[in-house]
Amino acid sequence: MTRPRLPPFDAASATAKVQAAEDAWNTRDPERVAAAYSPDCFWRNRDRFLRGRAEIAAFLKEKWERELDYALRKDLWTFAGNCRARFRYECHDVDGQWWRSYGNELWEFDDEGYMRRREASINDVRIEAAEHRIHGPHPEAITTAARGRAASSPMA
Protein backbone atom coordinates (compact mmCIF):
# COMPACT_ATOMS: atom_id res chain seq x y z
CA MET A 1 0.00 0.00 0.00
CA THR A 2 1.29 3.46 -0.83
CA ARG A 3 1.70 6.08 1.87
CA PRO A 4 -1.46 8.18 2.33
CA ARG A 5 -1.50 11.80 1.17
CA LEU A 6 -0.56 14.12 4.01
CA PRO A 7 -2.42 17.15 5.33
CA PRO A 8 -2.74 20.06 4.86
CA PHE A 9 -4.66 19.47 1.63
CA ASP A 10 -5.13 21.74 -1.35
CA ALA A 11 -7.95 21.26 -3.88
CA ALA A 12 -5.98 18.77 -5.97
CA SER A 13 -4.68 16.66 -3.07
CA ALA A 14 -8.07 16.67 -1.28
CA THR A 15 -9.80 15.56 -4.50
CA ALA A 16 -7.19 12.82 -4.94
CA LYS A 17 -7.74 11.70 -1.32
CA VAL A 18 -11.49 11.40 -1.96
CA GLN A 19 -10.90 9.49 -5.21
CA ALA A 20 -8.49 7.13 -3.44
CA ALA A 21 -11.16 6.49 -0.80
CA GLU A 22 -13.77 5.77 -3.49
CA ASP A 23 -11.39 3.41 -5.27
CA ALA A 24 -10.59 1.53 -2.05
CA TRP A 25 -14.25 1.23 -0.96
CA ASN A 26 -15.22 -0.10 -4.39
CA THR A 27 -12.82 -3.04 -3.93
CA ARG A 28 -15.08 -4.18 -1.06
CA ASP A 29 -11.93 -5.36 0.70
CA PRO A 30 -12.44 -4.61 4.42
CA GLU A 31 -8.74 -4.91 5.31
CA ARG A 32 -7.65 -2.59 2.48
CA VAL A 33 -10.23 0.04 3.45
CA ALA A 34 -9.46 -0.22 7.18
CA ALA A 35 -5.74 0.29 6.50
CA ALA A 36 -6.46 3.93 5.52
CA TYR A 37 -7.59 4.69 9.09
CA SER A 38 -5.41 5.29 12.14
CA PRO A 39 -5.11 2.30 14.50
CA ASP A 40 -7.36 4.08 17.04
CA CYS A 41 -9.72 5.74 14.55
CA PHE A 42 -13.15 6.79 15.82
CA TRP A 43 -16.06 6.03 13.49
CA ARG A 44 -19.71 6.95 13.54
CA ASN A 45 -21.64 5.27 10.77
CA ARG A 46 -25.36 5.90 11.07
CA ASP A 47 -26.11 4.70 14.60
CA ARG A 48 -22.97 2.59 14.97
CA PHE A 49 -19.91 3.77 16.86
CA LEU A 50 -16.64 1.97 16.20
CA ARG A 51 -13.07 2.32 17.42
CA GLY A 52 -9.97 1.08 15.60
CA ARG A 53 -9.09 -0.80 12.44
CA ALA A 54 -10.23 -4.22 13.65
CA GLU A 55 -13.76 -2.98 14.43
CA ILE A 56 -13.87 -1.08 11.12
CA ALA A 57 -12.80 -4.15 9.13
CA ALA A 58 -15.35 -6.36 10.91
CA PHE A 59 -18.10 -3.80 10.27
CA LEU A 60 -17.22 -3.55 6.57
CA LYS A 61 -17.11 -7.34 6.16
CA GLU A 62 -20.61 -7.57 7.62
CA LYS A 63 -21.79 -4.59 5.53
CA TRP A 64 -20.65 -6.05 2.21
CA GLU A 65 -22.08 -9.47 3.02
CA ARG A 66 -25.45 -7.71 3.33
CA GLU A 67 -25.10 -5.00 0.65
CA LEU A 68 -24.61 -6.96 -2.58
CA ASP A 69 -23.16 -5.48 -5.79
CA TYR A 70 -22.19 -2.38 -3.82
CA ALA A 71 -20.91 0.50 -5.97
CA LEU A 72 -19.94 3.91 -4.58
CA ARG A 73 -19.29 7.44 -5.82
CA LYS A 74 -17.64 10.06 -3.57
CA ASP A 75 -17.17 13.78 -4.18
CA LEU A 76 -15.12 16.34 -2.32
CA TRP A 77 -17.40 18.83 -0.61
CA THR A 78 -14.83 21.02 1.16
CA PHE A 79 -11.33 20.72 2.55
CA ALA A 80 -10.94 23.72 4.86
CA GLY A 81 -9.01 22.20 7.76
CA ASN A 82 -10.54 18.75 7.44
CA CYS A 83 -12.11 17.11 4.42
CA ARG A 84 -15.81 16.70 3.99
CA ALA A 85 -17.13 14.38 1.36
CA ARG A 86 -20.55 13.58 0.02
CA PHE A 87 -21.34 10.21 -1.43
CA ARG A 88 -23.96 7.96 -2.87
CA TYR A 89 -23.94 4.24 -3.38
CA GLU A 90 -26.23 1.52 -4.64
CA CYS A 91 -26.58 -2.09 -3.63
CA HIS A 92 -29.23 -4.75 -3.34
CA ASP A 93 -30.15 -7.09 -0.55
CA VAL A 94 -30.49 -10.89 -0.67
CA ASP A 95 -34.14 -10.51 -1.72
CA GLY A 96 -33.12 -8.47 -4.79
CA GLN A 97 -34.39 -5.11 -3.47
CA TRP A 98 -32.18 -2.27 -4.72
CA TRP A 99 -31.22 0.68 -2.51
CA ARG A 100 -29.57 4.03 -3.17
CA SER A 101 -27.94 5.62 -0.15
CA TYR A 102 -26.87 9.26 0.15
CA GLY A 103 -24.53 10.61 2.78
CA ASN A 104 -22.07 13.14 4.08
CA GLU A 105 -18.82 12.43 5.86
CA LEU A 106 -16.57 14.50 8.08
CA TRP A 107 -12.96 13.32 7.91
CA GLU A 108 -10.14 14.27 10.29
CA PHE A 109 -6.58 13.14 9.57
CA ASP A 110 -3.53 12.62 11.73
CA ASP A 111 -0.11 14.01 10.81
CA GLU A 112 0.75 10.78 8.96
CA GLY A 113 -2.24 11.11 6.62
CA TYR A 114 -4.36 8.36 8.18
CA MET A 115 -7.98 9.15 8.97
CA ARG A 116 -8.39 9.40 12.74
CA ARG A 117 -12.10 10.30 12.71
CA ARG A 118 -14.96 9.55 10.32
CA GLU A 119 -18.51 10.62 11.00
CA ALA A 120 -21.10 9.59 8.42
CA SER A 121 -24.76 10.50 8.15
CA ILE A 122 -26.60 8.32 5.63
CA ASN A 123 -30.13 8.14 4.20
CA ASP A 124 -31.48 5.19 2.21
CA VAL A 125 -33.95 5.25 -0.66
CA ARG A 126 -35.64 2.12 -1.99
CA ILE A 127 -35.31 2.01 -5.80
CA GLU A 128 -36.50 -0.26 -8.58
CA ALA A 129 -33.90 -2.33 -10.42
CA ALA A 130 -34.53 -0.21 -13.54
CA GLU A 131 -33.45 2.88 -11.55
CA HIS A 132 -30.04 1.34 -10.69
CA ARG A 133 -27.38 3.54 -12.27
CA ILE A 134 -24.12 3.20 -10.34
CA HIS A 135 -22.31 0.25 -11.87
CA GLY A 136 -18.99 -0.75 -10.33
CA PRO A 137 -15.93 1.46 -9.97
CA HIS A 138 -15.32 4.39 -12.29
CA PRO A 139 -13.33 3.43 -15.39
CA GLU A 140 -9.64 4.41 -15.04
CA ALA A 141 -10.00 7.26 -17.55
CA ILE A 142 -12.63 8.90 -15.35
CA THR A 143 -10.77 8.41 -12.07
CA THR A 144 -7.56 9.79 -13.59
CA ALA A 145 -9.39 12.90 -14.83
CA ALA A 146 -11.12 13.35 -11.46
CA ARG A 147 -7.79 13.46 -9.63
CA GLY A 148 -7.05 16.88 -11.11
CA ARG A 149 -10.36 18.65 -10.38
CA ALA A 150 -12.98 18.98 -7.71
CA ALA A 151 -15.78 16.56 -8.51
CA SER A 152 -19.21 17.94 -9.22
CA SER A 153 -21.29 14.86 -9.94
CA PRO A 154 -25.03 15.19 -9.40
CA MET A 155 -26.26 13.55 -6.23
CA ALA A 156 -29.76 12.71 -7.49
Side-chain angles (χ1 to χ4, degrees):
M1 180 177 176
T2 61
R3 184 179 170 93
R5 289 167 181 81
L6 299 173
F9 300 107
D10 59 18
S13 63
T15 299
K17 190 82 162 176
V18 170
Q19 186 61 57
E22 176 184 312
D23 294 345
W25 278 70
N26 277 324
T27 67
R28 296 178 234 151
D29 178 343
E31 296 299 329
R32 178 178 171 186
V33 173
Y37 299 93
S38 65
D40 63 344
C41 181
F42 170 80
W43 256 42
R44 181 182 63 79
N45 194 86
R46 301 173 192 263
D47 61 347
R48 300 271 307 266
F49 295 86
L50 309 170
R51 176 70 72 177
R53 288 179 181 158
E55 287 185 21
I56 293 167
F59 170 84
L60 293 171
K61 181 179 183 301
E62 181 183 297
K63 170 187 177 66
W64 290 321
E65 288 172 351
R66 206 178 47 249
E67 296 179 357
L68 306 175
D69 294 321
Y70 174 96
L72 169 75
R73 298 293 181 267
K74 285 187 183 274
D75 299 304
L76 176 64
W77 194 348
T78 184
F79 62 93
N82 295 301
C83 289
R84 285 152 186 87
R86 62 184 190 159
F87 63 89
R88 65 249 172 242
Y89 67 85
E90 292 178 353
C91 62
H92 65 85
D93 58 29
V94 294
D95 296 323
Q97 174 61 58
W98 280 92
W99 299 91
R100 184 175 301 129
S101 300
Y102 297 93
N104 301 306
E105 296 173 305
L106 166 66
W107 297 350
E108 292 179 7
F109 295 93
D110 65 17
D111 293 338
E112 309 245 331
Y114 294 99
M115 196 179 299
R116 70 175 168 221
R117 184 178 194 93
R118 173 187 179 264
E119 295 191 34
S121 297
I122 306 167
N123 298 300
D124 302 312
V125 178
R126 183 185 300 255
I127 61 173
E128 299 298 320
E131 296 174 280
H132 169 54
R133 63 176 181 243
I134 302 174
H135 302 277
H138 275 112
E140 181 60 29
I142 293 173
T143 58
T144 301
R147 291 185 211 293
R149 62 165 172 73
S152 60
S153 303
M155 290 297 285

